[in-house]
Amino acid sequence: MSNFYTRVANTELGTDIYPIRSDTFVIRTLLNPLRLTRTLIQLGHEPLSPTASLSPLSLLSFSSSTIYCYPNVFVYTRHLFHTYGFWPVMTCGFFSSFCFDFLTEVFYFMSHRYIVERALCAEEWLDDTEVMEKPKSRFGEGLVDRIPLSQFAAHLLNLCLLKVHEVVITQPFYVIMVRQGASIIGKEVGYSWFYQAVLSIFRDNGIMGFFSGITPRLMFELSPMIIYLCVRRMLQQNIFSSLRSWSKTVHSCIHTLSYAVINFLAYRLEVVSCVMALHGSRIPTAEAAVANSFSGWRECRRTLAMTGQLQRGYFPFWRFCPTPSFAPL
């Protein structure tokens, strides 16, 4: 046993491979206006008119049609600063977003710690150079690719349970963050401060108001993780294992591409979750009225799908305006 701990120490591997860094929160705080912009776009708030431009396919001579695009997120953010002032935009939802980010990081740390602790219990992984050469922050991914199928299923189930706990605990802060974002355009003073937002939600919707939109958010958080880990394992077991001549850069590019595609497809559930977070609120905005008009998240998803708005907020540039109507829901 002493030899085991000596080998672990020599590999510089421990349960602190994913530290919670304070500078991450500082950066996210400075980017809070962009987060507010993204939330408002997901809610369908478009104060700026779209402009006509050529289709990107025209660069490849495939099409010369005209499309309509909303201004990019930086122009949108500048408009918020000019309209509502620097300080209100900079601090809107600050505490709720900080708590949301902190709890998310804590659960991410716990999931990595869980995988690493299981790896340290299986001493044979200390002899696998391909796994041990992974960067510390990606050690868990390298391990999940190579463990037996039965262990993979058990680890995936436990990671899903951790993710469910994360969503349940962070959902109240997410709802508060979204409603504070909507309140800035509705000039609703009942959501100006965190404690005021808590009281307003409890008064309007009771305790269940803090969990508005939790079902699509659970699906959004779980489905990409499950699909990505399964696809990653399939690629490792069936493709990369037989094509060892491929460089690590190619492997990383394929993993990154698959992750991007999976998240792009799952993003529409995040939009639905954001809209439904307003469900039941009394904020005097058109976005809240639209959210209250839906009987449930399925109707919300169908309506947004029919109007081509399920991907709104995904791209910071080339934000296509659905046709023929310019006005979002």
Side-chain angles (χ1 to χ4, degrees):
M1 181 63 69
S2 60
N3 182 46
F4 166 72
Y5 286 109
T6 301
R7 296 174 65 192
V8 171
N10 291 336
T11 60
E12 298 182 355
L13 181 64
T15 55
D16 59 343
I17 63 170
Y18 187 81
I20 300 177
R21 301 175 55 182
S22 58
D23 56 343
T24 302
F25 298 103
V26 174
I27 295 175
R28 289 179 177 176
T29 300
L30 296 177
L31 295 178
N32 190 59
L34 290 177
R35 169 178 279 179
L36 174 62
T37 295
R38 188 168 185 258
T39 299
L40 293 179
I41 293 174
Q42 288 179 337
L43 291 176
H45 180 67
E46 294 290 352
L48 302 175
S49 301
T51 56
S53 63
L54 291 177
S55 170
L57 297 178
S58 62
L59 300 176
L60 303 176
S61 301
F62 289 152
S63 173
S64 59
S65 60
T66 301
I67 60 174
Y68 291 87
C69 295
Y70 290 113
N72 63 63
V73 295
F74 298 103
V75 175
Y76 192 114
T77 305
R78 184 180 63 183
H79 170 78
L80 293 180
F81 279 126
H82 288 171
T83 304
Y84 304 106
F86 176 82
W87 189 249
V89 173
M90 198 70 189
T91 60
C92 181
F94 170 78
F95 185 74
S96 55
S97 61
F98 175 83
C99 294
F100 179 84
D101 290 337
F102 178 76
L103 291 172
T104 301
E105 289 292 319
V106 167
F107 276 96
Y108 196 55
F109 168 80
M110 291 172 61
S111 63
H112 275 68
R113 178 167 183 164
Y114 164 79
I115 294 176
V116 173
E117 285 182 342
R118 295 302 180 273
L120 297 182
C121 292
E123 193 173 344
E124 65 269 17
W125 295 112
L126 299 178
D127 298 322
D128 194 321
T129 56
E130 187 172 346
V131 173
M132 299 306 296
E133 288 178 357
K134 290 278 186 182
K136 288 186 176 183
S137 59
R138 297 183 57 193
F139 174 80
E141 295 179 0
L143 178 67
V144 170
D145 292 344
R146 302 171 65 83
I147 57 179
L149 183 59
S150 59
Q151 294 183 25
F152 172 77
H155 288 345
L156 185 60
L157 177 61
N158 287 319
L159 289 175
C160 288
L161 291 176
L162 274 174
K163 182 61 71 173
V164 170
H165 282 84
E166 174 193 332
V167 172
V168 171
I169 292 176
T170 59
Q171 183 66 16
F173 298 101
Y174 178 76
V175 172
I176 294 172
M177 182 174 63
V178 171
R179 295 195 181 189
Q180 284 184 311
S183 69
I184 196 173
I185 60 176
K187 299 180 180 179
E188 173 60 57
V189 296
Y191 289 85
S192 300
W193 300 95
F194 179 81
Y195 75 92
Q196 290 179 315
V198 172
L199 293 177
S200 296
I201 295 174
F202 185 78
R203 182 180 61 251
D204 294 343
N205 311 117
I207 194 67
M208 295 307 298
F210 295 98
F211 298 94
S212 300
I214 191 173
T215 301
R217 183 164 173 248
L218 267 173
M219 297 173 63
F220 165 71
E221 296 286 355
L222 286 173
S223 56
M225 182 184 71
I226 295 173
I227 296 174
Y228 173 68
L229 290 178
C230 291
V231 169
R232 184 184 176 94
R233 179 180 174 83
M234 181 186 67
L235 291 174
Q236 179 64 38
Q237 297 288 331
N238 300 324
I239 298 179
F240 295 158
S241 59
S242 58
L243 298 173
R244 296 184 180 275
S245 59
W246 288 9
S247 66
K248 294 181 179 179
T249 303
V250 175
H251 291 190
S252 298
C253 290
I254 294 176
H255 287 317
T256 302
L257 179 61
S258 61
Y259 182 80
V261 171
I262 292 170
N263 273 272
F264 174 79
L265 296 176
Y267 176 79
R268 58 196 63 190
L269 290 171
E270 183 182 2
V271 175
V272 175
S273 175
C274 185
V275 173
M276 294 307 295
L278 278 183
H279 187 72
S281 69
R282 299 181 182 179
I283 301 174
T285 63
E287 292 74 25
V290 169
N292 290 328
S293 68
F294 298 127
S295 59
W297 70 269
R298 292 183 180 86
E299 182 185 355
C300 175
R301 184 183 181 280
R302 284 195 301 268
T303 303
L304 294 179
M306 287 188 297
T307 54
Q309 299 186 62
L310 276 177
Q311 297 296 141
R312 62 190 185 193
Y314 185 83
F315 297 105
F317 304 97
W318 292 98
R319 299 199 304 113
F320 301 109
C321 174
T323 54
S325 174
F326 291 160
L329 290 175

